[in-house]
Amino acid sequence: MSSVPFTMEHADKGKESSNSINEVEVTNSPIICGLPDDISLMCLARIPRKYHSVMKCVSKRWRNLICSEEWFCYRRKHKLDETWIYALCRDKSNEIFCYVLDPTLSRRYWKLIDNLPPQISKRKGIGFEALGNKLFLLGGCSEFLDSTDEVYSYDASSNCWAQATSLSTARYNFGCEVLDKKLYAIGGGGSKSSYHSWETFDPLTNCWTSQTDPKIVNEIKDSVVLDGKIYVRCSRYPVTPHVFAVVYEPSSGTWEYADDDMVSGWTGPAVAVDGTLYVLDQSAGTKLMMWHKERREWILVGKLSPLPIRQPCQLVAVGKSIFVVGRVLSTVVVDVDNLGNEDQVIVGSAIPGLLFDVNVTSVKCLSN
């Protein structure tokens, strides 16, 4: 009777076959026993986002579902998605951290996101933006100003970081915005090709497309999306201290200079709420300004108390609420519907910050 020797090759093939069978079984198994998958999805998608991490522990089938594009699209289509706020911070040793805030909790607090890619831990001038259900960390440079084109993405569903498609041009301290489901990287420092260039990332093709325009400069101060256009505040320093802004018109794909009256009051972080531009003026205290389109002037809408918030601050909006996020992640929430006259001190709900010192470099919101 002949025998066939059992080698490691046979063992590996056996494992691969077993793993394939297990994956098929997970894929073909019902989401909830006794229910059609479409009914199960309809039920599970209504569970608040704060419980999704627990749900992923129920089974592989549930984990795969919650991390899938199908889950993300279903919740967004049926307006079940919830917006959380993400803050990019830097401590005294210049190390980068990322925190998340669920604004729906009764006791709101900032939570650290673990496992940032170690390659970016000390980088400066990093772009930070949200597109779909992912956060993106783009470019940046070391203390020696050697810029990089590397991009990393964070999947909010799976809670994992991964390397993404690199920028066309290495750059740092650049404008970063999302418009029409595309990611924009604008101007900044780096190689000479970054000074007058801007590029767009299309997630459908997974590619960056680079273009140039002489109006784009390397000194980018801030950016905001307003009325379907990208506004970028720039400076030609040290050539001239003059601050100006350019605006991108997507219908023509061109950049034009923005209105000087609007630029004159754009002196700090900006955010748009229902088509209205708000700016935080931190030059003397902390004042919230509003750009009045019809009157073509800036209006003081209120002053923030210095007690719950520490400068410098960044702005982000969720619905009609503006989150003013300051040093140590001290946060004040302002409802634009409750803003009074210009002499009024703005009273908003406060969210406690951290017990150690960090500066907030950028704040974005992401729905999932």
Side-chain angles (χ1 to χ4, degrees):
M1 183 177 178
S2 61
S3 62
V4 178
F6 184 80
T7 64
M8 287 304 296
E9 182 179 356
H10 288 86
D12 291 340
K13 288 182 178 179
K15 287 181 181 178
E16 290 175 7
S17 176
S18 176
N19 289 338
S20 299
I21 292 172
N22 289 337
E23 288 297 324
V24 171
E25 287 178 350
V26 169
T27 304
N28 292 337
S29 64
I31 299 173
I32 299 177
C33 291
L35 285 180
D37 281 356
D38 57 342
I39 302 298
S40 299
L41 175 60
M42 181 180 69
C43 296
L44 294 179
R46 283 160 172 76
I47 298 176
R49 183 178 171 183
K50 62 183 178 181
Y51 299 116
H52 291 182
S53 59
V54 177
M55 292 168 63
K56 286 190 288 186
C57 299
V58 172
S59 67
K60 286 185 178 180
R61 184 73 171 93
W62 281 33
R63 183 192 64 196
N64 293 343
L65 173 66
I66 293 169
C67 296
S68 69
E69 187 71 16
E70 177 188 14
W71 175 269
F72 171 72
C73 293
Y74 185 92
R75 281 175 57 86
R76 175 157 291 190
K77 177 182 178 181
H78 296 278
K79 298 181 179 180
L80 301 170
D81 54 328
E82 301 163 70
T83 301
W84 288 6
I85 299 171
Y86 295 81
L88 191 67
C89 308
R90 189 180 299 276
D91 67 7
K92 288 185 176 180
S93 66
N94 281 326
E95 188 167 355
I96 290 176
F97 298 92
C98 190
Y99 286 83
V100 60
L101 172 73
D102 178 359
T104 66
L105 294 177
S106 56
R107 290 187 62 189
R108 294 175 290 188
Y109 62 96
W110 289 95
K111 181 182 178 181
L112 178 67
I113 296 178
D114 294 321
N115 302 320
L116 257 72
Q119 299 91 328
I120 67 166
S121 63
K122 295 284 187 176
R123 284 186 190 165
K124 300 178 180 179
I126 290 180
F128 185 56
E129 192 52 82
L131 175 62
N133 67 334
K134 294 182 179 180
L135 288 174
F136 288 84
L137 292 172
L138 310 96
C141 65
S142 71
E143 58 181 327
F144 304 107
L145 301 183
D146 51 339
S147 55
T148 180
D149 59 2
E150 289 182 352
V151 177
Y152 294 89
S153 66
Y154 170 77
D155 190 311
S157 299
S158 62
N159 193 34
C160 291
W161 292 92
Q163 190 158 5
T165 305
S166 297
L167 293 159
S168 300
T169 304
R171 60 181 80 229
Y172 64 91
N173 289 340
F174 54 97
C176 202
E177 292 293 342
V178 166
L179 181 65
D180 297 333
K181 298 181 180 180
K182 293 182 179 179
L183 181 58
Y184 286 72
I186 307 157
S191 61
K192 288 185 178 180
S193 59
S194 70
Y195 290 176
H196 299 292
S197 74
W198 53 284
E199 50 190 300
T200 58
F201 174 74
D202 188 341
L204 297 179
T205 62
N206 200 36
C207 292
W208 289 92
T209 303
S210 182
Q211 301 182 60
T212 59
D213 192 297
K215 299 182 185 69
I216 303 297
V217 297
N218 60 323
E219 287 287 336
I220 304 296
K221 299 295 185 183
D222 194 14
S223 61
V224 67
V225 172
L226 176 67
D227 296 332
K229 301 176 183 180
I230 300 176
Y231 288 78
V232 180
R233 187 163 61 100
C234 315
S235 172
R236 296 192 187 278
Y237 183 85
V239 177
T240 169
H242 175 62
V243 175
F244 64 100
V246 292
V247 54
Y248 176 69
E249 175 55 68
S251 61
S252 60
T254 58
W255 293 88
E256 301 295 339
Y257 290 109
D259 181 87
D260 285 340
D261 291 333
M262 189 199 79
V263 178
S264 65
W266 187 359
T267 58
V271 68
V273 180
D274 286 345
T276 299
L277 182 64
Y278 294 87
V279 163
L280 197 67
D281 184 350
Q282 303 176 82
S283 58
T286 308
K287 298 176 290 187
L288 190 63
M289 311 293 294
M290 181 186 76
W291 171 244
H292 198 296
K293 297 177 185 176
E294 288 74 24
R295 290 161 54 179
R296 303 187 62 75
E297 64 178 353
W298 287 95
I299 299 173
L300 173 63
V301 294
K303 304 172 184 177
L304 285 169
S305 169
L307 296 178
I309 195 77
R310 296 176 61 183
Q311 294 185 8
C313 305
Q314 301 293 334
L315 298 182
V316 69
V318 178
K320 292 191 176 183
S321 296
I322 296 176
F323 288 72
V324 184
V325 186
R327 195 170 170 182
V328 304
L329 288 171
S330 55
T331 306
V332 170
V333 187
V334 178
D335 189 336
V336 297
D337 286 339
N338 295 333
L339 293 175
N341 58 61
E342 63 182 45
D343 295 324
Q344 178 180 333
V345 174
I346 297 175
V347 178
S349 58
I351 300 172
L354 306 178
L355 298 178
F356 55 92
D357 196 12
V358 293
N359 279 328
V360 180
T361 60
S362 185
V363 187
K364 301 293 178 179
C365 56
L366 184 151
S367 298
N368 195 22

